[in-house]
Structure formats: C-alpha cells, structure tokens
Amino acid sequence: MSRILRRCCFCPQTELHGAGRAAGATPVTNEHDDGPQGAFKRISTMWSSFRRGIRERSKVEEPEPTEPVGPTAADSTSKQQRYASGQYFFEYLVVVSLKKTKDSNSYEPQITYQFPKRDGMVRKQKEEEEKTLKAITLFCFPEGISWAPLTEYHSETFSFVLTEIDGSRRNGYCRRLLPGGKGARAPEAYCIISTLACFGLFSKIFDEVEKRRQISMAMIYPFMQKLREASFPAPGHTVEIKSFIPESGTEIIRLTRPLDSWLEHVDFATLFNCLTDEEVLLVFAAAVLERRIVFIANELSILSQVIHAVAALLYPFTWQHTFISIVPEILIDVVMAPTPYLLGVQKHLLDLVTDQSDLLVVDVSQNKQETFLVSIGDEASILPPKLKAELLEVLSGRQKASGVEELNRVVSDTFLHFFVRTVGHYASFIKYSATGELGVFDRRAFCKAIDSKTTRHFVKKFTQTQMFDLFIQEAEQQQPGPRQGIFHHKIREFQDKKKKEKTKKH
C-alpha cells in the first residue's frame, strides 16, 4: 500500500425495494464474494496529486453538449467514454445497508441496490466492478462489524477516492443516516460514485436525495436520472435540474460550481474550528517534511474534511505517500507502515495508534482534552521563525472572510505565499541546453541563493522530499519561458513587488 486514497462519503437510508427496481436500480448479489481482503485488492494507493487532479478536472471546464438519453441509451462503451470524460455528474448511486451476519451477533455492510443498471459488461468487467463495489462498502462503514441498532443517529457526509488497477480514479461521496421507521434500526448509506471531485456540489445533491427519500423512494430515481444526463458545469457556472415533487410541483435545483475549482473539494473552516492557528502550523510543518501524521476523531465528516484541508495547504505541491482520510478498522495495521502517511482514524481505535513512535497524532475531535497525543517534539522549530510569524499574522485576519469560498481563498493564498517566499525562485535554476534537451535543476545553487540562514536551512530539508522532487521533475520537462497557473502568477507578483521596493531604495 504505497500510495492510497482520498476519502469523503455520504450515506442516506431507507428501503429501496420495488420503487428502485422500477426506476432502473438493480439489486447486488453476493456472487464472487471474496471478502474484505479481496475487495481491498481493488484499492490502490491514491492521492497522486492536486495538480494531476486539476489537470484532469480542467478537461471538463468546457463540457461538450450532452448526448440525448432516450429509452434505449447508447451502448455501454459509449457510456463508459462519457463517464471517463467527466461529462456526467456521476457514474452510479449505490445504497449500502447493514445486514446481520449468519450468527446474528454482528453486521456487515452490503450493497443492496445500484442505480442505474450496468448492462453490456463482459464477464471480466463485471467481476472487477463487483470487487470495486465490495471495497466501497468498507469505506461507507469503516467501523467494521460492531454495530448495535439505534433509535437516534446524526447523519454524516464524507468522501473517499478509489484508484483502479488501470490508474483511473473514482470519488465516493457518501451520506450516512438512519432509515425511516420505528424502533431501533441500523444506519444505511447512499453513496455516489463519480470521476469528478467537488464535495460541495455532491453534498447539496444529497440534500435533495434526502428530501425526496422522506416523501418516497420512488422520487429519488427520476431526480438522479435527470442529474446523470446533465453536463458538469465549468468553474463559476451553474447547471439547473428540473425535478417534480408531489404537492410542490416542478422544482428547479441550481447547482453552482465554485470559481476556484482546485479548492472545490476543500473546507478550511473545519480545520480551523478543530485546531488553533499555531496548531495548524505545527501540522503543516510536519506535513511539509513528509512525516507520519494520524488525525483522531469520532466524526467521519470531521476526519474527511480535516485531512483534505491539510493536504490542500501543500499546494502547489502534492502529497505523494499513503493518504487515507478514514481508515477502515480492517486496515488499521497501516499505522505500522514505516513510510510517510496522512491517516484519519476513529477514536475507538486510538490505543492501536498511540503505541507508535516517530509520528504526530492529532486529536481533532470536539471534546478533546489535548491536541497532540504523540509528537516528535521539533515541530515548532521546522518553519523559519520570521515566515512563521507572518503566517500567523495573516491567518489572524481570516475571521473577516465571509463565506466558505472567501475563507478558502484567504487560507490558500496565505500558504501559497509561504511557498512563493521559500522556493518561488526555482525556475531561475533550471538550466536548458542549446540543443533543446530537458532542463536540469541546479539544487545547490538554488539553496545558496537564499539569503536568510533559517529559510535556507528549511529549504534544504524541503528539497529532500518526494513532493518537491516530483514538482521539479515536472518543471524540468517543460519548455523554458513564462509558466502558467496561480502559483506562478503569485511568484510574478512577488518578484514585481520586490523590484519596485528595490527601485525606491535607490
């Protein structure tokens, strides 16, 4: 398990019987049941990078017109191509229910319905798909089989990402809640599988799903079919979905995609609600040096949002190691791995984590007594003192931000400026030959060019990380000249400012 997953899920509930079948949902049987370990063979290491995700998502910023979907939809090959292009909002919706095991003393998650049907698959494709679906159940219910019927349960929304054997990626969005009915019962989960990464949009979609579920299960499927036929909007744009609800008539649901598309899977508010500014910088410092970090909480939604936010602080660099925002109990041994990781672990598994050394264990739960349960002890001295003070000063003004998008922008700009200050001069030290060969980065000269001794000491350590190495490798493969993207735009702004200040002094 070298590189693993990104996670975020939501699950709703209730019986999907006859209505689901009439609408095109299909029950999932237990054929080819090779157990949890077999299912996890389908879960490759994920979280390759925000930048790669940005490149993939940029392909859908100008979506092509959606082909009409009639009673006889296009053949399965055409469907698969359209899903892969990111043109559709989602690939399918599954319902994951907790079913009693044969001894009736425990529960196991099972996919009971899938919408729409996946027709036209050859046998091998069908078997691979079923193994993927098995893996999904384990992330919808990471706690394992220890469940007791409940009369009350607060719904949770979280996400995960699966990387398939062929390298393709699927995002799982899940809302988990208690089915309708009386008496004690087990929670159920609705999970949408999509090639698209946009947590806010899919969270709103589940609000609509849950509203329709309260009326009738039959109301869910027409809405999901309309959504499935719609094109994913470009950043800053809105798509409208018409949906009929009895006694309310036809409703228009407007789904708007954030303008800053690379931040649309991130919520920094949760991170800063769980940690103080100083604590966030300690976590950031450990992450920058690619250390082993475990986040602890009971709430799946908090774990999911915090770990995504920490990874986003590293932009334009990408976490290259194991990344599991919610570790299923069956995979808890991953904490023993000697390689760097970002893990989210539920609090009841804490004793299996804190006996490890050389890692940072961060409690982000709401009722915590202390934040850092385990630490190496040098986290406060990793960042250059002057730049650390500047980060704290800028972050202190984030309370003025109005709304999630503005807060995300303020926080991301703050940490982006840190990388501009420390390594923004990298392009000047990529040397190109006259024959047009790939560039070569002069690491030694790059570090020597930094005036501040403390900043130079930090950068020397940072240049030894895999995330910096990959960033430079990609830069060496680019042609010389002005570089595009928000990071390089910020670099040019900073360099222009320094030139103006230098001119004023003279």
Side-chain angles (χ1 to χ4, degrees), residues 118-302:
R118 302 303 299 272
D119 298 323
M121 284 187 173
V122 298
R123 180 177 177 180
K124 185 176 181 180
Q125 288 176 318
K126 185 176 181 180
E127 290 177 355
E128 292 298 309
E129 190 76 4
E130 288 176 351
K131 290 177 182 178
T132 297
L133 294 173
K134 281 288 184 184
I136 290 169
T137 65
L138 298 177
F139 287 106
C140 286
F141 289 94
E143 298 87 344
I145 61 176
S146 301
W147 279 91
L150 305 170
T151 56
E152 293 184 3
Y153 179 80
H154 296 291
S155 65
E156 290 194 273
T157 301
F158 55 102
S159 71
F160 57 84
V161 178
L162 302 176
T163 300
E164 303 296 331
I165 291 175
D166 63 359
S168 62
R169 302 192 302 177
R170 300 181 187 183
N171 300 285
Y173 298 94
C174 179
R175 178 166 293 172
R176 200 165 76 177
L177 46 77
L178 204 60
K182 296 181 179 180
R185 52 209 183 276
E188 277 192 342
Y190 282 79
C191 187
I192 288 178
I193 305 302
S194 174
T195 58
L196 307 170
C198 190
F199 185 88
L201 274 189
F202 283 96
S203 184
K204 185 173 181 180
I205 288 168
F206 273 108
D207 291 342
E208 297 296 331
V209 169
E210 187 173 348
K211 182 169 69 175
R212 283 156 180 76
R213 174 190 65 81
Q214 292 171 353
I215 301 172
S216 167
M217 291 306 302
M219 299 307 303
I220 293 177
Y221 297 101
F223 168 71
M224 295 303 291
Q225 181 62 29
K226 289 285 187 181
L227 183 69
R228 183 171 169 267
E229 296 169 9
S231 295
F232 194 61
H237 288 69
T238 299
V239 65
E240 294 184 349
I241 308 295
K242 292 183 179 180
S243 178
F244 177 78
I245 296 181
E247 299 182 4
S248 298
T250 299
E251 288 189 352
I252 297 178
I253 296 97
R254 294 176 175 85
L255 301 171
T256 302
R257 188 177 174 193
L259 188 59
D260 296 327
S261 60
W262 75 275
L263 287 172
E264 59 193 356
H265 205 62
V266 177
D267 176 12
F268 287 124
T270 300
L271 175 64
F272 284 92
N273 286 338
C274 295
L275 302 176
T276 66
D277 294 2
E278 180 73 32
E279 289 169 345
V280 169
L281 291 191
L282 295 179
V283 173
F284 171 71
V288 163
L289 294 191
E290 296 182 334
R291 293 184 172 179
R292 300 191 304 159
I293 307 175
V294 178
F295 298 93
I296 300 292
N298 288 319
E299 302 85 358
L300 301 182
S301 55
I302 287 179

Side-chain angles (χ1 to χ4, degrees), residues 31 62 107 115 166 220 232 249 255 267 307 326 399 422 425:
E31 293 180 276
E62 296 296 335
Y107 289 82
F115 172 80
D166 63 359
I220 293 177
F232 194 61
L255 301 171
D267 176 12
I307 199 168
I326 301 169
Q399 289 87 351
T422 53
H425 59 299

Side-chain angles (χ1 to χ4, degrees), residues 8 74 115 143 173 209 310 313 361 370 401 405 414:
C8 195
F115 172 80
E143 298 87 344
Y173 298 94
V209 169
V310 169
L313 295 179
V361 179
E370 59 180 321
E405 287 191 42
T414 301

Side-chain angles (χ1 to χ4, degrees), residues 393-404 406-407 409-410:
E393 182 180 358
V394 177
L395 287 175
S396 66
R398 75 179 187 283
Q399 289 87 351
K400 298 177 182 178
S402 59
V404 174
E406 186 177 350
L407 175 63
R409 182 187 57 77
V410 170

Side-chain angles (χ1 to χ4, degrees), residues 22 94 124 135 142 197 204 210 297 300 314 340 369 376 378 423-424 456 461:
V94 295
K124 185 176 181 180
K204 185 173 181 180
E210 187 173 348
L300 301 182
L314 302 173
Q369 295 182 345
I376 294 176
D378 67 342
V423 298
R456 185 165 61 250
K461 289 184 176 180

